[in-house]
Amino acid sequence: MSHLRTTLLFNAPVERVWEAYTAEKHVGVWLPGAGSGLCASRPLTREGARYALRFSRWHRSSIQVVGVDANALHQRRFCDVAGHLRGTVTAQFDRVGDATQLTVDLHYSFAPIWLDSVLDRLFGAGIRQQAERELESFQHYVERQTQPTRAHTPRKTMTMTVAAVAPAC
């Protein structure tokens, strides 16, 4: 299983960043693939919510919210429709003074498991680039929504750890 961790710092209260990350009306704006609407089965702030994203004609994912702690943690599990790519995205929201630090962990693997390392070498860079584009889009969206009164340069750090682990889903 491969892992990508991204940390972003926002000059906005944690409640505002949480809402932008979890409210369907906001997610549909900043998340690529959500343009046609999420059509979630329930609010994304409730465990068990299900929705689908269409990234291209051939790439669609079904997603389920599996963990929620309001203004602190949001976890979702995804699986592409063909069943070859699956994983979890865990977003941790931490208050840092008047700002919010968002740490997003993406764990993913390819099926069948015996081909995971080969498929990750072939397609992993594209998966990581997509994840980074999603978070950059989110960062720009929140910045436009908050319009800070003082000069602020968001800090962003990205680290990637790749490890082989059997998938949980």
PDB file of all heavy atoms in Angstrom, residues 61-79:
ATOM      1  N   SER A  61     -15.137   6.565  -9.407  1.00  0.00           N
ATOM      2  CA  SER A  61     -14.903   6.001  -8.082  1.00  0.00           C
ATOM      3  C   SER A  61     -16.160   6.069  -7.245  1.00  0.00           C
ATOM      4  O   SER A  61     -16.902   7.046  -7.302  1.00  0.00           O
ATOM      5  CB  SER A  61     -13.802   6.773  -7.348  1.00  0.00           C
ATOM      6  OG  SER A  61     -12.554   6.537  -7.931  1.00  0.00           O
ATOM      7  N   SER A  62     -16.372   5.029  -6.460  1.00  0.00           N
ATOM      8  CA  SER A  62     -17.427   5.075  -5.453  1.00  0.00           C
ATOM      9  C   SER A  62     -16.738   5.336  -4.121  1.00  0.00           C
ATOM     10  O   SER A  62     -15.655   4.816  -3.848  1.00  0.00           O
ATOM     11  CB  SER A  62     -18.222   3.765  -5.426  1.00  0.00           C
ATOM     12  OG  SER A  62     -17.377   2.690  -5.101  1.00  0.00           O
ATOM     13  N   ILE A  63     -17.378   6.162  -3.301  1.00  0.00           N
ATOM     14  CA  ILE A  63     -16.763   6.640  -2.066  1.00  0.00           C
ATOM     15  C   ILE A  63     -17.749   6.491  -0.925  1.00  0.00           C
ATOM     16  O   ILE A  63     -18.952   6.726  -1.095  1.00  0.00           O
ATOM     17  CB  ILE A  63     -16.331   8.115  -2.221  1.00  0.00           C
ATOM     18  CG1 ILE A  63     -15.294   8.201  -3.344  1.00  0.00           C
ATOM     19  CG2 ILE A  63     -15.775   8.679  -0.923  1.00  0.00           C
ATOM     20  CD1 ILE A  63     -15.228   9.479  -4.048  1.00  0.00           C
ATOM     21  N   GLN A  64     -17.222   6.108   0.247  1.00  0.00           N
ATOM     22  CA  GLN A  64     -18.037   6.013   1.448  1.00  0.00           C
ATOM     23  C   GLN A  64     -17.312   6.699   2.591  1.00  0.00           C
ATOM     24  O   GLN A  64     -16.115   6.476   2.810  1.00  0.00           O
ATOM     25  CB  GLN A  64     -18.305   4.560   1.819  1.00  0.00           C
ATOM     26  CG  GLN A  64     -19.147   4.438   3.073  1.00  0.00           C
ATOM     27  CD  GLN A  64     -19.426   2.999   3.450  1.00  0.00           C
ATOM     28  OE1 GLN A  64     -18.855   2.067   2.899  1.00  0.00           O
ATOM     29  NE2 GLN A  64     -20.312   2.819   4.400  1.00  0.00           N
ATOM     30  N   VAL A  65     -18.035   7.549   3.323  1.00  0.00           N
ATOM     31  CA  VAL A  65     -17.481   8.188   4.515  1.00  0.00           C
ATOM     32  C   VAL A  65     -17.472   7.142   5.620  1.00  0.00           C
ATOM     33  O   VAL A  65     -18.508   6.554   5.934  1.00  0.00           O
ATOM     34  CB  VAL A  65     -18.320   9.427   4.917  1.00  0.00           C
ATOM     35  CG1 VAL A  65     -17.792  10.026   6.216  1.00  0.00           C
ATOM     36  CG2 VAL A  65     -18.316  10.459   3.803  1.00  0.00           C
ATOM     37  N   VAL A  66     -16.294   6.889   6.195  1.00  0.00           N
ATOM     38  CA  VAL A  66     -16.169   5.831   7.201  1.00  0.00           C
ATOM     39  C   VAL A  66     -15.791   6.346   8.586  1.00  0.00           C
ATOM     40  O   VAL A  66     -15.830   5.594   9.553  1.00  0.00           O
ATOM     41  CB  VAL A  66     -15.170   4.737   6.752  1.00  0.00           C
ATOM     42  CG1 VAL A  66     -15.704   3.993   5.541  1.00  0.00           C
ATOM     43  CG2 VAL A  66     -13.798   5.321   6.469  1.00  0.00           C
ATOM     44  N   GLY A  67     -15.429   7.621   8.698  1.00  0.00           N
ATOM     45  CA  GLY A  67     -15.087   8.176  10.000  1.00  0.00           C
ATOM     46  C   GLY A  67     -15.294   9.676  10.034  1.00  0.00           C
ATOM     47  O   GLY A  67     -14.884  10.373   9.109  1.00  0.00           O
ATOM     48  N   VAL A  68     -15.945  10.152  11.090  1.00  0.00           N
ATOM     49  CA  VAL A  68     -16.200  11.588  11.230  1.00  0.00           C
ATOM     50  C   VAL A  68     -16.073  11.983  12.695  1.00  0.00           C
ATOM     51  O   VAL A  68     -16.634  11.328  13.576  1.00  0.00           O
ATOM     52  CB  VAL A  68     -17.619  11.972  10.734  1.00  0.00           C
ATOM     53  CG1 VAL A  68     -17.910  13.437  11.006  1.00  0.00           C
ATOM     54  CG2 VAL A  68     -17.782  11.665   9.261  1.00  0.00           C
ATOM     55  N   ASP A  69     -15.319  13.037  12.944  1.00  0.00           N
ATOM     56  CA  ASP A  69     -15.270  13.714  14.230  1.00  0.00           C
ATOM     57  C   ASP A  69     -15.333  15.198  13.867  1.00  0.00           C
ATOM     58  O   ASP A  69     -14.338  15.757  13.387  1.00  0.00           O
ATOM     59  CB  ASP A  69     -13.996  13.361  14.993  1.00  0.00           C
ATOM     60  CG  ASP A  69     -13.926  14.001  16.372  1.00  0.00           C
ATOM     61  OD1 ASP A  69     -14.885  14.687  16.776  1.00  0.00           O
ATOM     62  OD2 ASP A  69     -12.894  13.826  17.044  1.00  0.00           O
ATOM     63  N   ALA A  70     -16.491  15.808  14.049  1.00  0.00           N
ATOM     64  CA  ALA A  70     -16.746  17.168  13.557  1.00  0.00           C
ATOM     65  C   ALA A  70     -15.603  18.126  13.871  1.00  0.00           C
ATOM     66  O   ALA A  70     -15.125  18.192  14.998  1.00  0.00           O
ATOM     67  CB  ALA A  70     -18.050  17.700  14.134  1.00  0.00           C
ATOM     68  N   ASN A  71     -15.171  18.854  12.850  1.00  0.00           N
ATOM     69  CA  ASN A  71     -14.106  19.850  12.925  1.00  0.00           C
ATOM     70  C   ASN A  71     -12.744  19.272  13.299  1.00  0.00           C
ATOM     71  O   ASN A  71     -11.841  20.018  13.635  1.00  0.00           O
ATOM     72  CB  ASN A  71     -14.468  20.985  13.893  1.00  0.00           C
ATOM     73  CG  ASN A  71     -15.684  21.746  13.442  1.00  0.00           C
ATOM     74  OD1 ASN A  71     -15.835  22.043  12.260  1.00  0.00           O
ATOM     75  ND2 ASN A  71     -16.569  22.049  14.365  1.00  0.00           N
ATOM     76  N   ALA A  72     -12.605  17.944  13.257  1.00  0.00           N
ATOM     77  CA  ALA A  72     -11.333  17.338  13.639  1.00  0.00           C
ATOM     78  C   ALA A  72     -10.866  16.255  12.661  1.00  0.00           C
ATOM     79  O   ALA A  72      -9.689  16.212  12.311  1.00  0.00           O
ATOM     80  CB  ALA A  72     -11.426  16.754  15.050  1.00  0.00           C
ATOM     81  N   LEU A  73     -11.770  15.358  12.222  1.00  0.00           N
ATOM     82  CA  LEU A  73     -11.364  14.219  11.415  1.00  0.00           C
ATOM     83  C   LEU A  73     -12.445  13.858  10.402  1.00  0.00           C
ATOM     84  O   LEU A  73     -13.630  13.827  10.742  1.00  0.00           O
ATOM     85  CB  LEU A  73     -11.101  12.998  12.307  1.00  0.00           C
ATOM     86  CG  LEU A  73     -10.751  11.707  11.585  1.00  0.00           C
ATOM     87  CD1 LEU A  73      -9.266  11.682  11.263  1.00  0.00           C
ATOM     88  CD2 LEU A  73     -11.124  10.509  12.420  1.00  0.00           C
ATOM     89  N   HIS A  74     -12.023  13.593   9.171  1.00  0.00           N
ATOM     90  CA  HIS A  74     -12.943  13.116   8.130  1.00  0.00           C
ATOM     91  C   HIS A  74     -12.210  12.025   7.361  1.00  0.00           C
ATOM     92  O   HIS A  74     -11.135  12.256   6.825  1.00  0.00           O
ATOM     93  CB  HIS A  74     -13.342  14.248   7.191  1.00  0.00           C
ATOM     94  CG  HIS A  74     -14.473  13.895   6.297  1.00  0.00           C
ATOM     95  ND1 HIS A  74     -14.275  13.362   5.036  1.00  0.00           N
ATOM     96  CD2 HIS A  74     -15.807  13.975   6.475  1.00  0.00           C
ATOM     97  CE1 HIS A  74     -15.453  13.149   4.484  1.00  0.00           C
ATOM     98  NE2 HIS A  74     -16.400  13.511   5.326  1.00  0.00           N
ATOM     99  N   GLN A  75     -12.793  10.825   7.335  1.00  0.00           N
ATOM    100  CA  GLN A  75     -12.148   9.705   6.649  1.00  0.00           C
ATOM    101  C   GLN A  75     -13.119   9.081   5.663  1.00  0.00           C
ATOM    102  O   GLN A  75     -14.288   8.861   5.980  1.00  0.00           O
ATOM    103  CB  GLN A  75     -11.682   8.657   7.641  1.00  0.00           C
ATOM    104  CG  GLN A  75     -10.893   7.532   6.998  1.00  0.00           C
ATOM    105  CD  GLN A  75     -10.352   6.569   8.022  1.00  0.00           C
ATOM    106  OE1 GLN A  75     -11.015   6.185   8.956  1.00  0.00           O
ATOM    107  NE2 GLN A  75      -9.101   6.179   7.828  1.00  0.00           N
ATOM    108  N   ARG A  76     -12.606   8.834   4.456  1.00  0.00           N
ATOM    109  CA  ARG A  76     -13.438   8.192   3.448  1.00  0.00           C
ATOM    110  C   ARG A  76     -12.649   7.074   2.769  1.00  0.00           C
ATOM    111  O   ARG A  76     -11.428   7.133   2.654  1.00  0.00           O
ATOM    112  CB  ARG A  76     -13.952   9.207   2.439  1.00  0.00           C
ATOM    113  CG  ARG A  76     -12.901   9.917   1.656  1.00  0.00           C
ATOM    114  CD  ARG A  76     -13.499  11.055   0.824  1.00  0.00           C
ATOM    115  NE  ARG A  76     -12.552  11.620  -0.087  1.00  0.00           N
ATOM    116  CZ  ARG A  76     -11.865  12.723   0.139  1.00  0.00           C
ATOM    117  NH1 ARG A  76     -12.035  13.396   1.253  1.00  0.00           N
ATOM    118  NH2 ARG A  76     -11.009  13.177  -0.750  1.00  0.00           N
ATOM    119  N   ARG A  77     -13.395   6.071   2.345  1.00  0.00           N
ATOM    120  CA  ARG A  77     -12.815   4.941   1.629  1.00  0.00           C
ATOM    121  C   ARG A  77     -13.271   5.044   0.174  1.00  0.00           C
ATOM    122  O   ARG A  77     -14.429   5.385  -0.079  1.00  0.00           O
ATOM    123  CB  ARG A  77     -13.296   3.635   2.246  1.00  0.00           C
ATOM    124  CG  ARG A  77     -12.693   2.411   1.639  1.00  0.00           C
ATOM    125  CD  ARG A  77     -13.156   1.139   2.309  1.00  0.00           C
ATOM    126  NE  ARG A  77     -14.184   1.377   3.285  1.00  0.00           N
ATOM    127  CZ  ARG A  77     -14.357   0.689   4.398  1.00  0.00           C
ATOM    128  NH1 ARG A  77     -13.573  -0.297   4.684  1.00  0.00           N
ATOM    129  NH2 ARG A  77     -15.339   0.965   5.219  1.00  0.00           N
ATOM    130  N   PHE A  78     -12.376   4.754  -0.747  1.00  0.00           N
ATOM    131  CA  PHE A  78     -12.740   4.824  -2.165  1.00  0.00           C
ATOM    132  C   PHE A  78     -12.327   3.540  -2.870  1.00  0.00           C
ATOM    133  O   PHE A  78     -11.429   2.821  -2.442  1.00  0.00           O
ATOM    134  CB  PHE A  78     -12.104   6.044  -2.843  1.00  0.00           C
ATOM    135  CG  PHE A  78     -10.596   5.982  -2.913  1.00  0.00           C
ATOM    136  CD1 PHE A  78      -9.957   5.396  -3.996  1.00  0.00           C
ATOM    137  CD2 PHE A  78      -9.830   6.521  -1.894  1.00  0.00           C
ATOM    138  CE1 PHE A  78      -8.576   5.344  -4.057  1.00  0.00           C
ATOM    139  CE2 PHE A  78      -8.448   6.469  -1.948  1.00  0.00           C
ATOM    140  CZ  PHE A  78      -7.816   5.877  -3.031  1.00  0.00           C
ATOM    141  N   CYS A  79     -13.029   3.288  -3.961  1.00  0.00           N
ATOM    142  CA  CYS A  79     -12.721   2.144  -4.812  1.00  0.00           C
ATOM    143  C   CYS A  79     -13.176   2.513  -6.221  1.00  0.00           C
ATOM    144  O   CYS A  79     -14.302   2.986  -6.397  1.00  0.00           O
ATOM    145  CB  CYS A  79     -13.467   0.908  -4.315  1.00  0.00           C
ATOM    146  SG  CYS A  79     -12.978  -0.605  -5.150  1.00  0.00           S
TER     147      CYS A  79
END
